[in-house]
Amino acid sequence: MDTVLNFISSISWWMWILIALAFVAIRDIFFNKKHTVSHNFPIVGHLRYLLESIGPEMRQYFVANNREELPFNRIERGWVYASSKNENNYEGFGTDRDIYQHQHIFVKNCMIPFQMEKDHPNKLDKTFLPCAKVMGVYNQRKKPYRPASAINVSAMSYGSLSARAIDSLNVGVKKAGAYHNTGEGGLSPYHSNGGDVVFHFGTGYFGVRGEDGNFSMEKMKTLVEENPFIKAIEIKLSQGAKPGKGGVLPGAKITSEIAKIRGVEIGKDVLSPSTHKAFKDVPGLLQLIEDIASETGLPVGIKAAIGKTEQWELLAELMVKTNRGPDFITIDGGEGGTGAAPPSFADHVSLPWIYGFSAIYKIFQKHNLTDRVVFIGSGKLGFPAKAAMAFAMGVDCINVAREAMMSIGCIQAQICHTNKCPAGVATQSKWLQKGINVPLKSDRLAQYFKSFRKELIEITHASGYEHPSQFTMKDIDVNVDDGELTKTLEDSFKYSKTPVEFTCTQDLKDCSHLGGHYKETNHK
């Protein structure tokens, strides 16, 4: 034995490396049946797989230019990061964007901007920007709701996102006076930190799911009664990441807590059905909306990504005929989102936001319904200039998802579906989540929202308006083609937005339906 040990100890370190490589080579040549490259090129072939695995990171940090990456380029991510940290988010030496590029946005400024009086709410709070409409007023719901922030957190469920990420978002919206959409994973303890909540459910009915797997009105009533911070309810028809396909939560993300909240099995992929069981057609959807609103007293809306519009035409016709319908409509863009989805769906199914929203808005405008509905836009709109464009087209609020994730630490690793998110945002790994400091990250979400609203208000004032709801289609130009270098939104999309009833910001602040705890706290 001593002889063997002495022999082993006499082998130098570089000899051990050669021995290890020899074992790898033997394995590659004689036992590897799966990988042709490493079989044909033992040892060296592994380098190819290593470089391939770190390729996205190499391109992101060293190869791609500042404006090149998708879904969010380095300039966009940098603006969100700097805004959330309350750092300098300005640019120097002019823009490096190609302003002649197709679909570039131009916001038309006035010669003399809007001038605030000394007691104007935005003199006291430069970030105060509530929604100009009230959800549920037209349909006389018992508990109307005016979102206190025009920028809010979009539908992202606990399960898709980690507990600490949801905690950070919910505490953050409370600090920012915004609302937090739960996503279809149900209401978790992490949604219950005091921020306004929009409860969202899809075809899986998680959180309001009966023993038979169908929608339970009794559970919905109990949920709303026990959680007064729920201000509205949203029925998901489809979403931008995978329109026409049910939700997907990989089994690797299903913990015992998530399984209990959703009523599903631990470790097993959760595949929500593609269609609802609670209704089969548009009249059935309308009836469900009215039943939920009647039982809970809350405004009820729908969310969808847009493709064919025939059923939307029918919805509008029935709303006119029956004098009832959704209190708000969230239009999601086909640009995709935080959900796991097959590339064929994420890349090709449903229209991008700008085309989908304009198609639906024109239908509701044709039937004189735009005043009855609060329109919410969702789909890469988390930047002030894009928000100005969206308001000019007819939205009343904007929901942000990936931008909100970036504000709490997301680095766009694009492995949300693997449960290996390095930032701890889109994973259920306890170890990876530990890097999220909830008090710090919630401050950053709140600061991102405040910076966003402040900059959007400044753009609005530069355009001669007091509130972004006053933007019209003629206030925004977009680059189109070589024949006509720019067109107004009105010329491009062939409609003119219905004017939103607006008196002044002070009236919005004094509204009895205003959310976000502006009555209880001093938001300065």
Side-chain angles (χ1 to χ4, degrees):
M1 176 62 84
D2 290 341
T3 303
V4 173
L5 293 175
N6 289 334
F7 174 73
I8 292 174
S9 63
S10 67
I11 299 175
S12 60
W13 64 269
W14 58 269
M15 286 292 293
W16 282 115
I17 294 176
L18 291 178
I19 292 169
L21 291 176
F23 274 113
V24 172
I26 293 170
R27 172 189 171 277
D28 287 343
I29 295 170
F30 296 105
F31 299 99
N32 175 22
K33 305 297 182 182
K34 294 182 179 180
H35 301 290
T36 304
V37 172
S38 57
H39 175 275
N40 293 344
F41 301 94
I43 302 175
V44 177
H46 290 280
L47 182 61
R48 183 260 180 195
Y49 295 114
L50 173 63
L51 293 175
E52 182 183 44
S53 69
I54 63 173
E57 289 79 10
M58 296 291 286
R59 290 189 293 273
Q60 181 179 25
Y61 293 110
F62 301 109
V63 179
N65 67 40
N66 288 342
R67 299 285 187 183
E68 192 173 16
E69 295 173 88
L70 290 173
F72 296 93
N73 62 48
R74 190 176 291 117
I75 294 294
E76 290 170 330
R77 296 199 313 275
W79 183 85
V80 173
Y81 295 146
S83 297
S84 65
K85 297 174 185 177
N86 200 24
E87 295 176 349
N88 185 342
N89 61 3
Y90 288 12
E91 288 182 5
F93 210 64
T95 181
D96 63 355
R97 183 188 291 271
D98 179 4
I99 62 174
Y100 298 100
Q101 188 179 31
H102 182 61
Q103 291 191 341
H104 185 75
I105 299 166
F106 300 94
V107 182
K108 296 180 180 177
N109 61 296
C110 277
M111 183 172 70
I112 301 176
F114 174 80
Q115 299 179 24
M116 294 183 287
E117 301 294 335
K118 63 179 181 179
D119 57 348
H120 190 279
N122 289 138
K123 281 282 191 180
L124 304 174
D125 181 356
K126 295 180 180 179
T127 72
F128 180 65
L129 186 61
C131 179
K133 290 181 183 174
V134 180
M135 295 178 179
V137 165
Y138 180 87
N139 292 315
Q140 299 180 335
R141 308 304 187 198
K142 295 177 183 176
K143 303 173 185 176
Y145 175 60
R146 184 193 297 275
S149 173
I151 316 300
N152 301 282
V153 173
S154 190
M156 296 182 286
S157 63
Y158 171 49
S160 177
L161 267 57
S162 68
R164 290 200 181 191
I166 296 293
D167 244 348
S168 300
L169 295 174
N170 194 254
V171 175
V173 297
K174 182 179 180 181
K175 294 174 179 177
Y179 70 67
H180 185 185
N181 190 306
T182 63
E184 67 173 311
L187 186 75
S188 73
Y190 313 107
H191 291 102
S192 309
N193 296 295
D196 287 357
V197 163
V198 173
F199 179 77
H200 168 112
F201 69 88
T203 56
Y205 305 119
F206 305 124
V208 288
R209 181 186 179 110
E211 296 298 326
D212 58 357
N214 293 331
F215 174 74
S216 170
M217 185 64 78
E218 287 304 312
K219 287 196 173 183
M220 174 65 80
K221 288 172 60 178
T222 301
L223 186 77
V224 171
E225 288 170 0
E226 293 179 351
N227 301 282
F229 50 81
I230 297 177
K231 302 298 183 181
I233 296 165
E234 183 175 76
I235 303 170
K236 188 190 86 169
L237 305 179
S238 59
Q239 68 184 84
K242 43 188 174 291
K245 183 176 176 63
V248 180
L249 185 63
K253 287 189 172 185
I254 307 295
T255 64
S256 58
E257 183 178 39
I258 292 170
K260 182 179 180 181
I261 291 171
R262 295 196 179 206
V264 297
E265 295 182 38
I266 299 175
K268 186 176 180 180
D269 289 355
V270 175
L271 305 174
S272 301
S274 298
T275 58
H276 278 269
K277 295 181 180 178
F279 59 90
K280 297 182 181 300
D281 50 25
V282 176
L285 170 61
L286 272 181
Q287 188 59 54
L288 179 63
I289 290 170
E290 292 304 315
D291 290 344
I292 294 175
S294 176
E295 293 291 340
T296 65
L298 297 179
V300 180
I302 57 177
K303 174 183 178 177
I306 307 304
K308 297 179 180 180
T309 59
E310 293 86 350
Q311 291 173 323
W312 289 95
E313 287 276 4
L314 177 58
L315 174 62
E317 291 169 4
L318 288 174
M319 287 176 65
V320 173
K321 183 177 179 180
T322 64
N323 201 33
R324 59 182 188 171
D327 300 293
F328 62 96
I329 297 176
T330 303
I331 301 299
D332 204 10
E335 291 86 345
T338 58
S344 56
F345 271 81
D347 294 347
H348 301 290
V349 183
S350 92
L351 296 172
W353 183 85
I354 195 168
Y355 302 136
F357 180 83
S358 60
I360 299 308
Y361 189 88
K362 284 190 279 190
I363 290 173
F364 280 78
Q365 187 181 59
K366 180 177 69 176
H367 292 279
N368 297 314
L369 293 169
T370 52
D371 290 338
R372 290 168 48 171
V373 177
V374 173
F375 288 99
I376 302 172
S378 175
K380 290 184 70 174
L381 299 175
F383 304 91
K386 285 188 175 180
M389 176 198 69
F391 274 93
M393 294 181 70
V395 305
D396 302 294
C397 277
I398 285 171
N399 285 354
V400 295
R402 288 170 289 182
E403 300 93 324
M405 290 169 62
M406 287 190 284
S407 75
I408 63 169
C410 167
I411 61 170
Q412 193 172 279
Q414 294 181 272
I415 53 174
C416 312
H417 57 296
T418 67
N419 201 37
K420 297 178 181 178
C421 169
V425 175
T427 178
Q428 298 309 313
S429 164
K430 297 293 185 184
W431 171 256
L432 293 173
Q433 287 187 58
K434 286 183 178 179
I436 297 179
N437 181 319
V438 174
L440 174 64
K441 299 300 186 181
S442 63
D443 280 344
R444 289 186 177 177
L445 182 280
Q447 188 58 53
Y448 161 59
F449 274 17
K450 291 177 181 179
S451 297
F452 189 123
R453 294 191 309 234
K454 176 178 178 290
E455 198 162 317
L456 178 55
I457 290 169
E458 290 171 347
I459 290 175
T460 302
H461 290 179
S463 300
Y465 299 123
E466 183 179 2
H467 190 277
S469 65
Q470 296 174 285
F471 274 113
T472 72
M473 301 284 278
K474 293 182 178 180
D475 293 316
I476 311 291
D477 275 9
V478 290
N479 283 339
V480 280
D481 55 39
D482 292 336
E484 295 175 283
L485 292 180
T486 67
K487 281 186 178 180
T488 64
L489 288 173
E490 183 177 37
D491 291 333
S492 295
F493 295 97
K494 308 303 180 187
Y495 75 95
S496 182
K497 167 193 157 185
T498 304
V500 174
E501 183 179 343
F502 173 77
T503 52
C504 64
T505 302
Q506 186 64 52
D507 286 350
L508 303 184
K509 189 172 185 179
D510 294 338
C511 175
S512 61
H513 306 306
L514 183 67
H517 309 291
Y518 275 91
K519 296 295 181 183
E520 292 83 11
T521 58
N522 186 15
H523 285 62
K524 291 187 178 180

